[in-house]
Amino acid sequence: MDCIFCAIARGELGTKLIYEDEDVVAFEDLNPQAPTHILVIPRRHYPSLQDVPKDEIGIVARLAAAAQELAAERRIWPSGYRLVVNSGSEGGQTVSHLHLHVLGGRQMVWPPG
Ligand code: DGP
């Protein structure tokens, strides 16, 4: 399978992993939209959130737990941060491997574009 995030998770592209456990890795976004912009992904390939089977949905909590840890480490809490899961084409998803954006270090605006 030719998935760039799978390759990153396997350590094949030299992307620095800033968080790693058995099921989850995180790394800096290539095109940061905020002073802190981290991508948190499962090691297992799910094309999108919609593709996570109900009996594996706990992986989403694992992604959130990693985000919580990273937010504390990067000191974007208690100032605040945003979690984003773009899903599908109209959702703005461009890489077909489930990922959580962790954005912080500046004032976020609502609604997003
Ligand atoms: P999304 O639009 O939600 O699918 O976000 C995909 C993000 O992935 C986008 O912000 C840019 C980032 N990205 C794409 N390719 C790479 C890569 O090779 N390395 C890193 N670090 N980030 C990437």
PDB file of all heavy atoms in Angstrom, residues 59-82:
ATOM      1  N   ILE A  59      -9.467   3.522  19.158  1.00  0.00           N
ATOM      2  CA  ILE A  59      -8.238   4.144  18.658  1.00  0.00           C
ATOM      3  C   ILE A  59      -8.386   5.667  18.626  1.00  0.00           C
ATOM      4  O   ILE A  59      -7.415   6.405  18.800  1.00  0.00           O
ATOM      5  CB  ILE A  59      -7.841   3.588  17.254  1.00  0.00           C
ATOM      6  CG1 ILE A  59      -6.454   4.077  16.833  1.00  0.00           C
ATOM      7  CG2 ILE A  59      -8.870   3.956  16.195  1.00  0.00           C
ATOM      8  CD1 ILE A  59      -5.319   3.609  17.697  1.00  0.00           C
ATOM      9  N   VAL A  60      -9.612   6.136  18.447  1.00  0.00           N
ATOM     10  CA  VAL A  60      -9.833   7.591  18.394  1.00  0.00           C
ATOM     11  C   VAL A  60      -9.574   8.198  19.783  1.00  0.00           C
ATOM     12  O   VAL A  60      -9.001   9.287  19.897  1.00  0.00           O
ATOM     13  CB  VAL A  60     -11.252   7.912  17.870  1.00  0.00           C
ATOM     14  CG1 VAL A  60     -11.490   9.409  17.830  1.00  0.00           C
ATOM     15  CG2 VAL A  60     -11.440   7.312  16.476  1.00  0.00           C
ATOM     16  N   ALA A  61      -9.937   7.483  20.820  1.00  0.00           N
ATOM     17  CA  ALA A  61      -9.629   7.939  22.183  1.00  0.00           C
ATOM     18  C   ALA A  61      -8.122   7.933  22.422  1.00  0.00           C
ATOM     19  O   ALA A  61      -7.579   8.810  23.092  1.00  0.00           O
ATOM     20  CB  ALA A  61     -10.339   7.062  23.205  1.00  0.00           C
ATOM     21  N   ARG A  62      -7.448   6.962  21.834  1.00  0.00           N
ATOM     22  CA  ARG A  62      -5.981   6.894  21.975  1.00  0.00           C
ATOM     23  C   ARG A  62      -5.319   8.087  21.285  1.00  0.00           C
ATOM     24  O   ARG A  62      -4.329   8.632  21.774  1.00  0.00           O
ATOM     25  CB  ARG A  62      -5.448   5.587  21.391  1.00  0.00           C
ATOM     26  CG  ARG A  62      -6.020   4.322  22.048  1.00  0.00           C
ATOM     27  CD  ARG A  62      -5.408   4.074  23.405  1.00  0.00           C
ATOM     28  NE  ARG A  62      -3.951   4.020  23.302  1.00  0.00           N
ATOM     29  CZ  ARG A  62      -3.265   2.939  22.900  1.00  0.00           C
ATOM     30  NH1 ARG A  62      -3.893   1.834  22.615  1.00  0.00           N
ATOM     31  NH2 ARG A  62      -1.943   2.979  22.819  1.00  0.00           N
ATOM     32  N   LEU A  63      -5.868   8.484  20.141  1.00  0.00           N
ATOM     33  CA  LEU A  63      -5.346   9.671  19.453  1.00  0.00           C
ATOM     34  C   LEU A  63      -5.566  10.907  20.327  1.00  0.00           C
ATOM     35  O   LEU A  63      -4.682  11.758  20.466  1.00  0.00           O
ATOM     36  CB  LEU A  63      -6.031   9.876  18.091  1.00  0.00           C
ATOM     37  CG  LEU A  63      -5.889   8.754  17.052  1.00  0.00           C
ATOM     38  CD1 LEU A  63      -6.664   9.117  15.777  1.00  0.00           C
ATOM     39  CD2 LEU A  63      -4.423   8.487  16.704  1.00  0.00           C
ATOM     40  N   ALA A  64      -6.759  10.995  20.930  1.00  0.00           N
ATOM     41  CA  ALA A  64      -7.079  12.143  21.790  1.00  0.00           C
ATOM     42  C   ALA A  64      -6.162  12.169  23.014  1.00  0.00           C
ATOM     43  O   ALA A  64      -5.704  13.238  23.439  1.00  0.00           O
ATOM     44  CB  ALA A  64      -8.545  12.087  22.207  1.00  0.00           C
ATOM     45  N   ALA A  65      -5.870  11.000  23.567  1.00  0.00           N
ATOM     46  CA  ALA A  65      -4.987  10.942  24.742  1.00  0.00           C
ATOM     47  C   ALA A  65      -3.580  11.417  24.382  1.00  0.00           C
ATOM     48  O   ALA A  65      -2.934  12.131  25.168  1.00  0.00           O
ATOM     49  CB  ALA A  65      -4.950   9.516  25.292  1.00  0.00           C
ATOM     50  N   ALA A  66      -3.106  11.054  23.210  1.00  0.00           N
ATOM     51  CA  ALA A  66      -1.784  11.513  22.765  1.00  0.00           C
ATOM     52  C   ALA A  66      -1.810  13.021  22.555  1.00  0.00           C
ATOM     53  O   ALA A  66      -0.866  13.734  22.935  1.00  0.00           O
ATOM     54  CB  ALA A  66      -1.377  10.799  21.477  1.00  0.00           C
ATOM     55  N   ALA A  67      -2.899  13.534  21.991  1.00  0.00           N
ATOM     56  CA  ALA A  67      -3.035  14.979  21.775  1.00  0.00           C
ATOM     57  C   ALA A  67      -2.997  15.722  23.110  1.00  0.00           C
ATOM     58  O   ALA A  67      -2.336  16.767  23.242  1.00  0.00           O
ATOM     59  CB  ALA A  67      -4.345  15.280  21.042  1.00  0.00           C
ATOM     60  N   GLN A  68      -3.684  15.164  24.097  1.00  0.00           N
ATOM     61  CA  GLN A  68      -3.712  15.759  25.441  1.00  0.00           C
ATOM     62  C   GLN A  68      -2.289  15.869  26.007  1.00  0.00           C
ATOM     63  O   GLN A  68      -1.878  16.914  26.521  1.00  0.00           O
ATOM     64  CB  GLN A  68      -4.536  14.811  26.310  1.00  0.00           C
ATOM     65  CG  GLN A  68      -5.261  15.397  27.454  1.00  0.00           C
ATOM     66  CD  GLN A  68      -6.026  14.308  28.203  1.00  0.00           C
ATOM     67  OE1 GLN A  68      -5.513  13.200  28.421  1.00  0.00           O
ATOM     68  NE2 GLN A  68      -7.234  14.618  28.596  1.00  0.00           N
ATOM     69  N   GLU A  69      -1.552  14.797  25.856  1.00  0.00           N
ATOM     70  CA  GLU A  69      -0.173  14.757  26.353  1.00  0.00           C
ATOM     71  C   GLU A  69       0.708  15.775  25.629  1.00  0.00           C
ATOM     72  O   GLU A  69       1.466  16.516  26.248  1.00  0.00           O
ATOM     73  CB  GLU A  69       0.370  13.339  26.123  1.00  0.00           C
ATOM     74  CG  GLU A  69       1.372  12.906  27.147  1.00  0.00           C
ATOM     75  CD  GLU A  69       1.727  11.434  26.986  1.00  0.00           C
ATOM     76  OE1 GLU A  69       0.869  10.568  27.225  1.00  0.00           O
ATOM     77  OE2 GLU A  69       2.872  11.167  26.595  1.00  0.00           O
ATOM     78  N   LEU A  70       0.564  15.823  24.301  1.00  0.00           N
ATOM     79  CA  LEU A  70       1.375  16.744  23.500  1.00  0.00           C
ATOM     80  C   LEU A  70       1.019  18.202  23.800  1.00  0.00           C
ATOM     81  O   LEU A  70       1.892  19.067  23.840  1.00  0.00           O
ATOM     82  CB  LEU A  70       1.186  16.442  22.009  1.00  0.00           C
ATOM     83  CG  LEU A  70       1.905  15.167  21.547  1.00  0.00           C
ATOM     84  CD1 LEU A  70       1.280  14.620  20.271  1.00  0.00           C
ATOM     85  CD2 LEU A  70       3.397  15.446  21.338  1.00  0.00           C
ATOM     86  N   ALA A  71      -0.264  18.470  24.029  1.00  0.00           N
ATOM     87  CA  ALA A  71      -0.705  19.840  24.334  1.00  0.00           C
ATOM     88  C   ALA A  71      -0.076  20.318  25.638  1.00  0.00           C
ATOM     89  O   ALA A  71       0.341  21.479  25.758  1.00  0.00           O
ATOM     90  CB  ALA A  71      -2.228  19.906  24.405  1.00  0.00           C
ATOM     91  N   ALA A  72       0.019  19.416  26.599  1.00  0.00           N
ATOM     92  CA  ALA A  72       0.647  19.774  27.877  1.00  0.00           C
ATOM     93  C   ALA A  72       2.146  20.015  27.668  1.00  0.00           C
ATOM     94  O   ALA A  72       2.699  21.024  28.116  1.00  0.00           O
ATOM     95  CB  ALA A  72       0.410  18.672  28.894  1.00  0.00           C
ATOM     96  N   GLU A  73       2.765  19.086  26.927  1.00  0.00           N
ATOM     97  CA  GLU A  73       4.211  19.173  26.675  1.00  0.00           C
ATOM     98  C   GLU A  73       4.577  20.456  25.923  1.00  0.00           C
ATOM     99  O   GLU A  73       5.584  21.088  26.220  1.00  0.00           O
ATOM    100  CB  GLU A  73       4.577  17.946  25.840  1.00  0.00           C
ATOM    101  CG  GLU A  73       6.014  17.568  25.831  1.00  0.00           C
ATOM    102  CD  GLU A  73       6.178  16.308  24.974  1.00  0.00           C
ATOM    103  OE1 GLU A  73       5.704  15.240  25.409  1.00  0.00           O
ATOM    104  OE2 GLU A  73       6.745  16.422  23.870  1.00  0.00           O
ATOM    105  N   ARG A  74       3.762  20.811  24.932  1.00  0.00           N
ATOM    106  CA  ARG A  74       4.041  22.010  24.126  1.00  0.00           C
ATOM    107  C   ARG A  74       3.506  23.292  24.768  1.00  0.00           C
ATOM    108  O   ARG A  74       3.581  24.365  24.185  1.00  0.00           O
ATOM    109  CB  ARG A  74       3.432  21.851  22.726  1.00  0.00           C
ATOM    110  CG  ARG A  74       4.084  20.778  21.883  1.00  0.00           C
ATOM    111  CD  ARG A  74       5.544  21.162  21.615  1.00  0.00           C
ATOM    112  NE  ARG A  74       6.248  20.111  20.909  1.00  0.00           N
ATOM    113  CZ  ARG A  74       6.413  20.083  19.586  1.00  0.00           C
ATOM    114  NH1 ARG A  74       5.900  21.023  18.833  1.00  0.00           N
ATOM    115  NH2 ARG A  74       7.088  19.103  19.049  1.00  0.00           N
ATOM    116  N   ARG A  75       2.888  23.142  25.926  1.00  0.00           N
ATOM    117  CA  ARG A  75       2.368  24.280  26.688  1.00  0.00           C
ATOM    118  C   ARG A  75       1.347  25.099  25.908  1.00  0.00           C
ATOM    119  O   ARG A  75       1.345  26.327  25.943  1.00  0.00           O
ATOM    120  CB  ARG A  75       3.520  25.176  27.180  1.00  0.00           C
ATOM    121  CG  ARG A  75       4.496  24.410  28.063  1.00  0.00           C
ATOM    122  CD  ARG A  75       5.630  25.297  28.551  1.00  0.00           C
ATOM    123  NE  ARG A  75       6.657  24.522  29.222  1.00  0.00           N
ATOM    124  CZ  ARG A  75       6.572  24.105  30.482  1.00  0.00           C
ATOM    125  NH1 ARG A  75       5.521  24.377  31.214  1.00  0.00           N
ATOM    126  NH2 ARG A  75       7.567  23.397  31.011  1.00  0.00           N
ATOM    127  N   ILE A  76       0.493  24.423  25.170  1.00  0.00           N
ATOM    128  CA  ILE A  76      -0.619  25.122  24.503  1.00  0.00           C
ATOM    129  C   ILE A  76      -1.909  24.935  25.318  1.00  0.00           C
ATOM    130  O   ILE A  76      -2.998  25.249  24.862  1.00  0.00           O
ATOM    131  CB  ILE A  76      -0.807  24.677  23.038  1.00  0.00           C
ATOM    132  CG1 ILE A  76      -0.936  23.155  22.915  1.00  0.00           C
ATOM    133  CG2 ILE A  76       0.356  25.186  22.186  1.00  0.00           C
ATOM    134  CD1 ILE A  76      -1.318  22.694  21.503  1.00  0.00           C
ATOM    135  N   TRP A  77      -1.783  24.408  26.488  1.00  0.00           N
ATOM    136  CA  TRP A  77      -2.833  24.356  27.490  1.00  0.00           C
ATOM    137  C   TRP A  77      -2.246  24.923  28.772  1.00  0.00           C
ATOM    138  O   TRP A  77      -1.099  24.586  29.065  1.00  0.00           O
ATOM    139  CB  TRP A  77      -3.328  22.908  27.712  1.00  0.00           C
ATOM    140  CG  TRP A  77      -4.497  22.878  28.630  1.00  0.00           C
ATOM    141  CD1 TRP A  77      -4.512  22.574  29.971  1.00  0.00           C
ATOM    142  CD2 TRP A  77      -5.841  23.213  28.278  1.00  0.00           C
ATOM    143  NE1 TRP A  77      -5.772  22.702  30.464  1.00  0.00           N
ATOM    144  CE2 TRP A  77      -6.605  23.096  29.444  1.00  0.00           C
ATOM    145  CE3 TRP A  77      -6.472  23.620  27.093  1.00  0.00           C
ATOM    146  CZ2 TRP A  77      -7.972  23.364  29.473  1.00  0.00           C
ATOM    147  CZ3 TRP A  77      -7.816  23.880  27.102  1.00  0.00           C
ATOM    148  CH2 TRP A  77      -8.559  23.748  28.298  1.00  0.00           C
ATOM    149  N   PRO A  78      -2.985  25.831  29.474  1.00  0.00           N
ATOM    150  CA  PRO A  78      -4.400  26.181  29.386  1.00  0.00           C
ATOM    151  C   PRO A  78      -4.763  27.308  28.419  1.00  0.00           C
ATOM    152  O   PRO A  78      -5.925  27.693  28.357  1.00  0.00           O
ATOM    153  CB  PRO A  78      -4.746  26.572  30.829  1.00  0.00           C
ATOM    154  CG  PRO A  78      -3.484  27.160  31.355  1.00  0.00           C
ATOM    155  CD  PRO A  78      -2.358  26.403  30.700  1.00  0.00           C
ATOM    156  N   SER A  79      -3.784  27.834  27.634  1.00  0.00           N
ATOM    157  CA  SER A  79      -4.175  28.898  26.694  1.00  0.00           C
ATOM    158  C   SER A  79      -5.222  28.384  25.705  1.00  0.00           C
ATOM    159  O   SER A  79      -6.146  29.117  25.332  1.00  0.00           O
ATOM    160  CB  SER A  79      -2.941  29.434  25.967  1.00  0.00           C
ATOM    161  OG  SER A  79      -2.184  28.368  25.437  1.00  0.00           O
ATOM    162  N   GLY A  80      -5.084  27.138  25.273  1.00  0.00           N
ATOM    163  CA  GLY A  80      -6.107  26.522  24.420  1.00  0.00           C
ATOM    164  C   GLY A  80      -5.583  26.070  23.079  1.00  0.00           C
ATOM    165  O   GLY A  80      -4.559  26.547  22.592  1.00  0.00           O
ATOM    166  N   TYR A  81      -6.279  25.132  22.520  1.00  0.00           N
ATOM    167  CA  TYR A  81      -5.877  24.568  21.223  1.00  0.00           C
ATOM    168  C   TYR A  81      -7.097  24.002  20.520  1.00  0.00           C
ATOM    169  O   TYR A  81      -8.193  23.952  21.081  1.00  0.00           O
ATOM    170  CB  TYR A  81      -4.802  23.475  21.419  1.00  0.00           C
ATOM    171  CG  TYR A  81      -5.231  22.283  22.234  1.00  0.00           C
ATOM    172  CD1 TYR A  81      -5.764  21.152  21.630  1.00  0.00           C
ATOM    173  CD2 TYR A  81      -5.108  22.281  23.628  1.00  0.00           C
ATOM    174  CE1 TYR A  81      -6.154  20.046  22.378  1.00  0.00           C
ATOM    175  CE2 TYR A  81      -5.490  21.180  24.371  1.00  0.00           C
ATOM    176  CZ  TYR A  81      -6.013  20.067  23.747  1.00  0.00           C
ATOM    177  OH  TYR A  81      -6.398  18.988  24.483  1.00  0.00           O
ATOM    178  N   ARG A  82      -6.902  23.606  19.284  1.00  0.00           N
ATOM    179  CA  ARG A  82      -8.008  23.053  18.478  1.00  0.00           C
ATOM    180  C   ARG A  82      -7.623  21.682  17.942  1.00  0.00           C
ATOM    181  O   ARG A  82      -6.505  21.499  17.444  1.00  0.00           O
ATOM    182  CB  ARG A  82      -8.326  24.005  17.320  1.00  0.00           C
ATOM    183  CG  ARG A  82      -9.429  23.488  16.409  1.00  0.00           C
ATOM    184  CD  ARG A  82      -9.846  24.539  15.385  1.00  0.00           C
ATOM    185  NE  ARG A  82     -10.566  25.624  16.043  1.00  0.00           N
ATOM    186  CZ  ARG A  82     -10.975  26.737  15.432  1.00  0.00           C
ATOM    187  NH1 ARG A  82     -10.724  26.902  14.155  1.00  0.00           N
ATOM    188  NH2 ARG A  82     -11.613  27.672  16.101  1.00  0.00           N
TER     189      ARG A  82
END
